[in-house]
Amino acid sequence: MLKQSLTAILVTVLTTVSAASATAATAPVSNPRIQVHFDLAAGQQPENIAFEPDGSVDLVLAGSYQLANVNRRGETRVLATLPTPADGGVNTPALGFALATGLARTWDGTLYVGFAAGSDELTGIWKVRPGGVPHRIGVLPATSFPNGMALNQLTGDLFVSDSALGRIWRVPTRGGTPSVWLSDPALNRDGLLGANGLKLHKGAVWATNTDSGTLLRIPFTPRGTAGPVEAKATGMPGIDDFDFPGTGDTVIAALNAPNEVVLIKPDGAHSPVLTAEDGLSGPTSLGIRGNTLYVGSASFLLRQDPNLLLADLSRHH
């Protein structure tokens, strides 16, 4: 039943996407190449990205509940594994199976990962020190679906999108009870997943809504609360993770079901820069370091060749 519903969603989303799409990498992106192919049967589906100082990257492998490191040579090693739900996460909202999700890294190498497990015992935010064992520091309800995550290095607070409840949580990394930073209809789901990708940028929380196909900006007020929600771009069903290629408001985003990576200009106009021809297989995560674009394809819907793709990024665009 789940497979049929996901297939129906894929067909619906694909029919809303314009027939005119890029056939290969388009400026400002060039030279796409796959660095790592992952094992789908083992649940190795790259879902979020964090960068290490040595040039390697940390990834969440969603279906195996693992954190992994990929070095510059494309060699992968598992850093930690979250507990396996006894029931596989059958009560996880929207999906019916557990997933490891968002990822954030502190300056000392500590990693924070979201876990949507459908249970009060496991759902929430988990902390992993280098070489350490995962332990939960943020308890979220079983009805929630923690997803995109970003860390405010100054306050030590994590901001976490909730794809099921239409919220953004504030989770203190030093301990304490998570609180709802924002609950708004613009974050709600309409079929599968609502609020998803999340970044902090220029005094605001930026988030995507996968079902509505929107990119949202929520400014911080002087008191640190949420200001009014602004839709920066619309018409992108399946939008997931994203990042900023510079200091401005230009965005590069992953579109899962359409199987594209798009460039979103500050005026909301958007166009594909990577497609399946370049190696994408249902992209869900994205990060930018220097002049390199990293794209993780979890292939949740396509079910083939989850991978980590690298591409060159021309900054002058």
Side-chain angles (χ1 to χ4, degrees):
M1 186 67 181
L2 174 63
K3 182 178 180 181
Q4 291 175 344
S5 62
L6 289 178
T7 301
I9 291 168
L10 173 61
V11 172
T12 300
V13 172
L14 287 176
T15 57
T16 65
V17 178
S18 171
S21 61
T23 56
T26 303
V29 177
S30 62
N31 189 29
R33 64 271 186 196
I34 294 178
Q35 187 184 36
V36 186
H37 295 274
F38 292 101
D39 185 349
L40 179 64
Q44 295 182 341
Q45 296 162 283
E47 170 64 354
N48 267 291
I49 298 171
F51 296 115
E52 292 284 348
D54 63 0
S56 66
V57 297
D58 298 322
L59 300 173
V60 177
L61 300 181
S64 59
Y65 323 138
Q66 292 177 322
L67 294 174
N69 177 267
V70 178
N71 65 22
R72 292 183 174 183
R73 296 183 297 277
E75 298 165 339
T76 303
R77 63 186 177 95
V78 174
L79 303 175
T81 303
L82 299 177
T84 300
D87 61 1
V90 294
N91 295 314
T92 303
L95 300 183
F97 52 87
L99 281 182
T101 56
L103 181 64
R105 181 188 184 277
T106 62
W107 62 271
D108 64 353
T110 300
L111 297 173
Y112 295 90
V113 57
F115 198 21
S119 71
D120 291 324
E121 293 75 25
L122 296 176
T123 299
I125 308 304
W126 292 68
K127 179 178 181 178
V128 185
R129 293 188 182 277
V133 176
H135 67 280
R136 189 168 60 158
I137 58 102
V139 176
L140 295 178
T143 53
S144 68
F145 194 111
N147 208 331
M149 184 190 307
L151 174 67
N152 185 328
Q153 297 277 5
L154 295 178
T155 66
D157 291 327
L158 290 163
F159 289 83
V160 183
S161 65
D162 190 327
S163 297
L165 299 180
R167 299 174 178 174
I168 295 176
W169 296 91
R170 191 201 315 249
V171 181
T173 59
R174 294 181 297 274
T177 304
S179 59
V180 177
W181 184 73
L182 176 65
S183 180
D184 190 276
L187 304 173
N188 289 347
R189 61 174 172 154
D190 181 21
L192 187 62
L193 299 175
N196 197 331
L198 188 146
K199 293 287 189 296
L200 302 182
H201 179 69
K202 293 173 59 179
V205 173
W206 291 62
T208 61
N209 185 313
T210 297
D211 283 346
S212 65
T214 51
L215 173 67
L216 309 170
R217 179 182 182 273
I218 308 105
F220 286 101
T221 69
R223 294 179 296 166
T225 57
V229 179
E230 176 190 5
K232 297 293 292 183
T234 61
M236 298 171 292
I239 190 170
D240 200 314
D241 196 21
F242 63 98
D243 206 350
F244 299 87
T247 58
D249 289 348
T250 298
V251 168
I252 297 180
L255 272 59
N256 187 348
N259 204 21
E260 295 177 342
V261 168
V262 298
L263 179 73
I264 307 172
K265 296 182 179 180
D267 64 0
H270 47 87
S271 58
V273 292
L274 290 170
T275 68
E277 184 174 335
D278 302 302
L280 298 180
S281 183
T284 58
S285 54
L286 190 149
I288 296 170
R289 174 165 54 188
N291 293 325
T292 303
L293 173 68
Y294 296 74
V295 182
S297 286
S299 201
F300 287 127
L301 298 174
L302 296 175
R303 308 297 297 172
Q304 59 184 20
D305 189 29
N307 64 65
L308 177 64
L309 180 147
L310 276 58
D312 298 335
L313 184 62
S314 175
R315 291 283 186 170
H316 73 271
H317 276 79

